[in-house]
């Protein structure tokens, strides 16, 4: 329900979208590792075939095994390191895109609200409504927001980390700012009527 009890609000996300995100990230994790593994196996087969062909004596075979063991460890370490770096970079980019889109979507929704009708008790009523929601997986670092008037006074927030946001707007861009001792990635936007400024943020450590 809305704070005044006159409206009912629905907020949803397509489940298939969540599954697509999970599969995309899984593919980005697995593909470099599989490519690296195939390359590693090919290199091992090549070197084994080349090195063992001219074996004539047991002593030479023993020395060759030691060299192959060192070669195997070296190639393995290199491929795992390269694959891990590629996976980390790709996953980081995917996560940043997802969360930035999430923040912009919330900013768009908050920008169209008529904040001029917010009263002092609106915050308390809203907090009580949200606290009654069951079966919610909630993280206070995942997303937070605060709404300020033109004088920089905070008139509404999410009752979580948003209440720690300070008025330091840099409109139409993502910026890194401090809130409650942590770094947050925050986007600042004007409300649709131009009378209020909205901050939507996410803790960088959470990403």
């Amino acid at each position: 329900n809305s704070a005044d009890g006159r409206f009912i609000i629905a907020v949803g996300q397509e489940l298939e979208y969540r599954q697509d995100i999970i599969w995309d990230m899984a593919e980005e994790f697995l593909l470099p590792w599989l490519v690296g593994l195939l390359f590693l196996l090919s290199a091992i087969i090549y070197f084994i075939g080349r090195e063992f062909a001219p074996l004539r004596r047991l002593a030479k075979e023993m020395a060759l095994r030691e060299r192959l063991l060192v070669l195997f460890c070296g190639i393995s370490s290199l491929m795992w390191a390269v694959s891990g770096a590629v996976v980390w970079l790709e996953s980081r980019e995917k996560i940043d895109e997802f969360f930035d889109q999430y923040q912009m979507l919330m900013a768009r929704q908050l920008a169209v609200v008529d904040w001029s009708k917010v009263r002092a008790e609106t915050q308390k009523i809203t907090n009580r409504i949200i606290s009654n929601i069951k079966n919610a997986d909630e993280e206070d670092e995942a997303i937070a927001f605060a709404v300020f008037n033109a004088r920089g006074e905070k008139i509404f927030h999410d009752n979580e980390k948003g209440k720690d946001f300070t008025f330091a707007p840099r409109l139409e861009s993502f910026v890194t700012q401090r809130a409650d001792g942590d770094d947050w990635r925050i986007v600042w936007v004007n409300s649709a009527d131009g009378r209020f400024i909205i901050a939507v943020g996410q803790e960088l450590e959470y990403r």
Side-chain angles (χ1 to χ4, degrees):
N1 285 329
S2 60
D4 59 10
R6 298 170 55 193
F7 303 95
I8 299 175
I9 303 166
V11 179
Q13 184 181 65
E14 184 181 5
L15 286 176
E16 186 176 348
Y17 177 75
R18 294 190 179 192
Q19 296 170 355
D20 289 342
I21 290 293
I22 294 173
W23 278 112
D24 288 344
M25 294 185 66
E27 289 176 0
E28 290 179 358
F29 271 103
L30 292 174
L31 184 59
W33 291 90
L34 291 176
V35 172
L37 182 60
L38 290 175
F39 179 83
L40 177 61
L41 291 175
S42 300
I44 292 173
I45 293 173
Y46 168 77
F47 282 109
I48 288 177
R50 190 185 71 174
E51 295 289 347
F52 273 97
L55 288 180
R56 288 184 175 85
R57 295 189 309 273
L58 182 60
K60 186 177 181 180
E61 181 179 346
M62 294 298 295
L64 210 49
R65 286 178 180 175
E66 293 178 358
R67 285 169 24 213
L68 287 173
L69 180 61
V70 173
L71 182 64
F72 174 80
C73 293
I75 294 177
S76 298
S77 300
L78 177 63
M79 292 309 304
W80 287 119
V82 172
S83 299
V86 172
V87 168
W88 185 85
L89 291 173
E90 291 184 352
S91 299
R92 179 65 180 270
E93 182 180 358
K94 189 73 173 181
I95 290 172
D96 283 342
E97 290 177 357
F98 171 76
F99 283 126
D100 281 355
Q101 183 179 7
Y102 184 33
Q103 286 180 243
M104 289 189 291
L105 178 60
M106 174 170 279
R108 181 191 296 272
Q109 294 168 335
L110 294 172
V112 300
V113 176
D114 185 1
W115 296 106
S116 63
K117 296 181 179 180
V118 172
R119 307 184 304 276
E121 61 270 22
T122 303
Q123 183 78 61
K124 296 180 180 179
I125 297 172
T126 305
N127 294 344
R128 186 171 62 252
I129 293 172
I130 297 300
S131 65
N132 289 332
I133 297 177
K134 301 176 181 178
N135 302 326
D137 295 328
E138 188 176 9
E139 288 281 353
D140 56 4
E141 299 91 356
I143 199 76
F145 73 90
V147 183
F148 301 85
N149 59 23
R151 297 186 298 275
E153 299 169 338
K154 193 178 300 175
I155 64 167
F156 194 79
H157 54 75
D158 62 345
N159 197 41
E160 295 290 349
K161 295 296 185 177
K163 61 186 177 184
D164 298 319
F165 287 1
T166 56
F167 186 69
R170 292 173 60 183
L171 298 176
E172 299 178 355
S173 66
F174 281 89
V175 294
T176 300
Q177 295 176 324
R178 300 285 290 179
D180 192 29
D182 298 310
D183 288 330
W184 283 67
R185 182 169 171 81
I186 301 176
V187 58
W188 294 83
V189 297
N190 283 321
S191 61
D193 59 11
R195 299 169 59 188
F196 302 90
I197 299 176
I198 302 162
V200 180
Q202 183 178 65
E203 187 181 356
L204 283 176
E205 186 177 349
Y206 178 80
R207 296 191 177 201

